[in-house]
């Protein structure tokens, strides 16, 4: 419950600041103390989450680190630090604008993380994709997925630049109500629209990705005998391998292994440089 409350207050930060500053008309320094308290709450929440994550196995921790979960583990601490910094600076200067610039700092942080992953790689969208679907790595579609994720990451960087600019403008030039409306509502709506558009595009992109099927799911009648599986050299040379060729080749291998199992050999190594047999 503590973590849920901290997360809700973080998400509704612009609305909370507007309510306390404009509706309840709290003094700026009192409001800054509230923000500092919220920062401490977020920091404690992140600490609880961190200790819970530390209880996992070393294998899962290694896999998470490899998948790029470093950002996921330390993001709550970074958000709490931004809260504390905004509250302390506001308390010292007695200027509410520093509280409103918190939204700009959060967006700028996201921009830095996404942009830096584009430079040093792999990009953070690709990391999320491989964490969600372990079959992407070392598959035929890995490079295609990585290129698509890179485009998505660039699109999010452009969004963060635009969002940070508008957020800064509302904080410096607009009223508290306009700032709260954009940062507490419109920006979330635009982010949701980005997710929705990307999801629709991703569905279309996935249809063009090369599919992979386990050989154990096939039967001898899964395809017609003249179904073309692959070709040699160029398509125009008309040197094809059909489903019947595949059944014949696998039957020969099966017969060879069956005969070999009667001998003293208990283990086999199958190796061929021709992908057709692999």
């Amino acid at each position: 419950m503590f973590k849920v409350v901290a997360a809700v207050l973080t998400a509704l930060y612009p609305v909370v600041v507007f309510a306390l500053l404009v509706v309840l008309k709290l003094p700026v320094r009192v409001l800054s103390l509230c923000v500092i308290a919220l920062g401490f709450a977020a920091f404690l929440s992140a600490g609880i989450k961190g200790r819970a994550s530390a209880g996992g196995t070393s294998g899962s921790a290694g896999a998470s680190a490899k998948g790029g979960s470093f950002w996921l583990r330390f993001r709550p601490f970074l958000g709490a630090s931004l809260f504390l910094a905004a509250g302390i600076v506001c308390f010292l200067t007695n200027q509410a604008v520093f509280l409103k610039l918190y939204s700009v700092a959060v967006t700028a942080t996201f921009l830095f993380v996404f942009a830096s992953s584009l430079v040093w790689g792999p990009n953070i969208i690709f990391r999320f994709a491989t964490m969600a679907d372990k079959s992407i790595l070392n598959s035929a579609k890995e490079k295609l997925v990585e290129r698509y994720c890179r485009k998505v990451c660039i699109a999010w960087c452009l969004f963060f630049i635009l969002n940070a600019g508008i957020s800064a403008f509302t904080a410096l030039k607009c009223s508290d109500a306009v700032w709260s409306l954009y940062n507490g509502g419109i920006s979330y709506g635009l982010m949701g629209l980005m997710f929705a558009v990307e999801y629709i595009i991703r569905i279309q992109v996935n249809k063009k990705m090369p599919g992979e099927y386990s050989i154990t799911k096939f039967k001898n009648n899964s395809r017609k005998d003249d179904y073309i599986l692959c070709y040699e050299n160029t398509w125009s040379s008309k040197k094809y391998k059909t489903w019947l060729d595949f059944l014949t080749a696998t039957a020969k291998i099966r017969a060879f292994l069956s005969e070999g199992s009667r001998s003293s050999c208990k283990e086999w190594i199958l190796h061929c440089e021709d992908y057709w047999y692999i």
Side-chain angles (χ1 to χ4, degrees):
M1 181 60 68
F2 183 79
K3 292 188 292 184
V4 170
V5 172
V8 170
L9 290 177
T10 301
L12 298 178
Y13 173 81
V15 178
V16 173
V17 171
F18 176 78
L20 297 178
L21 185 64
V22 178
V23 179
L24 299 180
K25 299 185 182 303
L26 288 182
V28 173
R29 281 200 167 93
V30 175
L31 180 57
S32 65
L33 292 177
C34 295
V35 173
I36 293 175
L38 180 59
F40 275 117
F43 192 83
L44 292 175
S45 174
I48 293 173
K49 185 182 298 184
R51 288 193 297 272
S53 300
T57 62
S58 59
S60 62
S64 298
K66 185 177 181 181
S69 62
F70 178 86
W71 162 247
L72 294 179
R73 293 198 303 271
F74 287 92
R75 181 179 59 84
F77 292 101
L78 181 59
S81 300
L82 291 176
F83 269 128
L84 292 173
I88 292 173
V89 174
C90 179
F91 182 82
L92 295 176
T93 60
N94 198 29
Q95 298 293 324
V97 67
F98 291 103
L99 294 180
K100 296 193 289 185
L101 288 175
Y102 165 80
S103 301
V104 181
V106 171
T107 305
T109 302
F110 276 106
L111 174 61
F112 172 78
V113 172
F114 277 61
S116 60
S117 70
L118 286 172
V119 176
W120 290 293
N123 68 80
I124 194 169
I125 301 296
F126 182 69
R127 294 175 185 176
F128 289 153
T130 53
M131 289 171 64
D133 186 358
K134 301 294 191 300
S135 66
I136 294 176
L137 294 176
N138 301 318
S139 67
K141 60 182 180 180
E142 179 180 359
K143 294 298 182 182
L144 296 175
V145 172
E146 187 172 8
R147 284 198 293 268
Y148 171 75
C149 290
R150 182 176 179 83
K151 294 178 182 178
V152 174
C153 193
I154 293 174
W156 274 107
C157 287
L158 295 176
F159 172 80
F160 290 141
I161 293 174
L162 178 63
N163 188 59
I166 298 176
S167 181
F169 179 81
T170 58
L172 298 174
K173 299 294 184 181
C174 298
S175 64
D176 294 334
V178 173
W179 170 81
S180 179
L181 176 62
Y182 178 80
N183 292 278
I186 296 177
S187 63
Y188 289 143
L190 294 176
M191 193 175 299
L193 181 62
M194 276 283 293
F195 277 114
V197 172
E198 189 277 324
Y199 179 75
I200 295 174
I201 296 176
R202 191 195 321 159
I203 293 176
Q204 302 302 319
V205 171
N206 283 337
K207 292 180 180 179
K208 300 178 181 179
M209 291 288 178
E212 294 182 352
Y213 305 92
S214 174
I215 191 66
T216 58
K217 296 182 180 179
F218 283 99
K219 298 180 180 180
N220 59 352
N221 59 350
S222 294
R223 298 287 188 273
K224 294 182 179 179
D225 289 346
D226 58 350
Y227 184 89
I228 297 175
L229 294 180
C230 63
Y231 60 92
E232 299 177 2
N233 298 323
T234 61
W235 180 264
S236 59
S237 64
K238 297 183 179 180
K239 293 183 179 181
Y240 308 131
K241 291 289 188 178
T242 64
W243 179 249
L244 181 60
D245 294 327
F246 175 76
L247 293 178
T248 303
T250 52
K252 290 179 179 179
I253 295 177
R254 208 163 47 241
F256 177 77
L257 294 178
S258 298
E259 294 176 1
S261 63
R262 301 188 186 98
S263 65
S264 59
C265 296
K266 300 301 181 182
E267 296 182 356
W268 295 83
I269 296 177
L270 298 180
H271 172 72
C272 183
E273 295 181 356
D274 191 339
Y275 283 153
W276 158 253
Y277 290 105
I278 295 176

